[in-house]
Amino acid sequence: MKALQYVKVGAPPEVREVPTPEPGPGQVRLKVTAAGACHSDSFVMGLDKETYVGGFGYPLPMTLGHEGVGIVDKLGAGVTSVAVGDAVAVYGPWGCGNCYQCAQGKENYCERAADLRITPPGLGHDGSMAEYMIIDDPRFLVPLGDLDPVENVALTDAGLTPYHAIKGSLGKLGPGSVAVVIGTGGLGHVAIQLLRALTPAVVIAVDVNDDKLALAKDVGAHHAFLSNSDAPAVIEQATGRKTVTAVFDFVAAQATIDLGAALAGVESDQVLVGVGAAKADVGMLARPYDATVRAPYWGSRGELIEVLNLARAGLVHVETERFTLDEAPEAYRRLHDGTLRGRAIIVP
Ligand code: NAD
Ligand code: ZN
Ligand code: ZN
């Protein structure tokens, strides 16, 4: 079968011919119907100069893709909870299934995954950017139902991750609150819709790219401003306040972390979702009282079901651009160049 593979650290991915995998006992094989390209893949492949950290730590070559949906195609011995022909979405942050965090469905925060070398598909072992993929356990599958696979595959990360990040601040985002979304690409443009659907907050989008700001307005941001040193003043002018309730930072470079810190008020949240190499100051002398900084990761299985339900209710959608597997390297070039509208989706 054909697969998009990460072959060499620091080099772009390659389309390669690989053996079609067979499901072992307890595993499920999917015929992949769609796979999303995330900026974290570029980070992992070492394609971004700012966040390049050297090696990878897992065996290469590896098929990319940690956003995936498909049709159950073949069952390994003993699998009974899904059936051949089921349309499913892949829950990506696999855990051990047994620890306290996993017991709550929070496999994204599994306490043993690192020790057991359990990784998400596409981030340590073969992922969804291929004609077929193997799922280690049917509990990592969530029913997709009649949701369109291409339009909704990115909800497994670009939807779930901002959903989990926003849920952590939901109690603060009441009437009169202000939420800032920094970086309105794949994750950020979904975050804006989630904030509009779940909260009465005024939503302000910030990006360095005018097209992304236009997208932010299209999907519901009340205001959209360029990310530069004027941003705090422009935001104050728009809201009448020097500080905001929460900042969701989908970049987490030094400039955006500094912007978030400049906007921090008493009991505000600065939520760092982007995989940046920058640092944030915390402590009594660095921040207003009880201002928090946190860095959430992906989301729980239950939250993925909730996000898909929001899509079914028409409250959130993903802007997508489609690519074939042969065109997938071009999708990553466009992601790197910042010329995508929303998410690049690979349709094998
Ligand atoms: P993307 O490339 O689609 O979007 C990034 C956006 O940030 C773009 O619109 C870009 O123009 C904008 N941007 C870049 N520099 C900026 C700056 N200085 N100020 C304002 N905006 C700026 O990427 P994505 O796939 O949405 O991923 C976003 C980030 O989230 C990445 O760092 C990715 O690795 C990370 N991520 C984290 C998790 C998690 O669980 N924490 C999950 C998925 C992705
Ligand atoms: Zn991702
Ligand atoms: Zn666990």
Side-chain angles (χ1 to χ4, degrees):
M1 66 169 186
K2 215 178 256 187
L4 182 77
Q5 292 206 308
Y6 171 19
V7 181
K8 188 166 168 274
V9 177
E14 295 173 25
V15 182
R16 302 172 92 217
E17 198 60 39
V18 300
T20 300
E22 286 295 321
Q27 293 182 321
V28 177
R29 186 171 77 186
L30 300 187
K31 172 104 183 69
V32 177
T33 46
C38 179
H39 216 119
S40 297
D41 298 330
S42 308
F43 164 72
V44 163
M45 287 187 281
L47 298 182
D48 289 343
K49 268 197 250 85
E50 313 78 58
T51 54
Y52 185 71
V53 288
F56 175 52
Y58 294 97
L60 294 177
M62 175 196 80
T63 301
L64 288 164
H66 58 271
E67 293 180 342
V69 293
I71 304 287
V72 173
D73 163 77
K74 194 169 182 184
L75 304 178
V79 175
T80 56
S81 57
V82 293
V84 170
D86 286 355
V88 290
V90 179
Y91 173 72
W94 297 0
C96 73
N98 285 313
C99 72
Y100 180 68
Q101 297 292 343
C102 285
Q104 300 171 85
K106 296 195 266 183
E107 302 214 16
N108 52 321
Y109 293 154
C110 175
E111 293 161 5
R112 301 175 67 220
D115 286 346
L116 296 174
R117 288 188 70 80
I118 298 171
T119 56
L123 291 169
H125 67 275
D126 289 342
S128 57
M129 291 197 179
E131 292 171 65
Y132 296 89
M133 75 181 291
I134 297 293
I135 306 298
D136 276 4
D137 191 294
R139 80 170 185 279
F140 301 133
L141 298 172
V142 165
L144 189 64
D146 55 12
L147 284 178
D148 180 81
V150 177
E151 299 298 320
N152 292 285
V153 60
L155 294 176
T156 58
D157 176 18
L160 176 55
T161 300
Y163 183 71
H164 176 65
I166 290 165
K167 261 187 106 176
S169 298
L170 219 46
K172 296 181 180 179
L173 292 168
S177 62
V178 177
V180 173
V181 173
I182 304 179
T184 64
L187 273 67
H189 90 286
V190 182
I192 291 165
Q193 298 171 61
L194 291 168
L195 286 162
R196 292 303 313 271
L198 301 173
T199 81
V202 171
V203 178
I204 299 178
V206 174
D207 204 293
V208 286
N209 177 319
D210 284 320
D211 292 337
K212 308 274 185 176
L213 292 175
L215 170 62
K217 289 293 279 276
D218 288 348
V219 297
H222 294 98
H223 306 280
F225 300 128
L226 277 171
S227 185
N228 57 31
S229 53
D230 294 338
V234 176
I235 290 170
E236 183 184 351
Q237 211 166 33
T239 61
R241 293 166 41 168
K242 279 192 187 307
T243 63
V244 303
T245 315
V247 173
F248 299 95
D249 185 343
F250 296 95
V251 183
Q254 198 61 56
T256 62
I257 289 187
D258 292 348
L259 171 59
L263 295 171
V266 170
E267 291 187 325
S268 65
D269 287 347
Q270 186 174 2
V271 187
L272 306 177
V273 182
V275 183
K279 299 227 167 9
D281 292 331
V282 292
M284 285 301 277
L285 303 180
R287 302 232 161 209
Y289 297 133
D290 233 346
T292 76
V293 179
R294 57 193 180 84
Y297 171 65
W298 222 326
S300 72
R301 285 169 57 209
E303 286 169 340
L304 176 56
I305 292 172
E306 291 167 18
V307 170
L308 295 177
N309 282 335
L310 283 171
R312 286 188 186 98
L315 290 168
V316 59
H317 77 281
V318 183
E319 292 285 322
T320 56
E321 294 201 36
R322 294 177 189 221
F323 298 82
T324 63
L325 264 177
D326 285 323
E327 295 165 342
E330 171 67 8
Y332 281 98
R333 267 193 296 277
R334 297 265 316 276
L335 179 63
H336 181 267
D337 294 346
T339 59
L340 289 167
R341 181 178 164 92
R343 203 65 153 173
I345 307 301
I346 314 306
V347 186

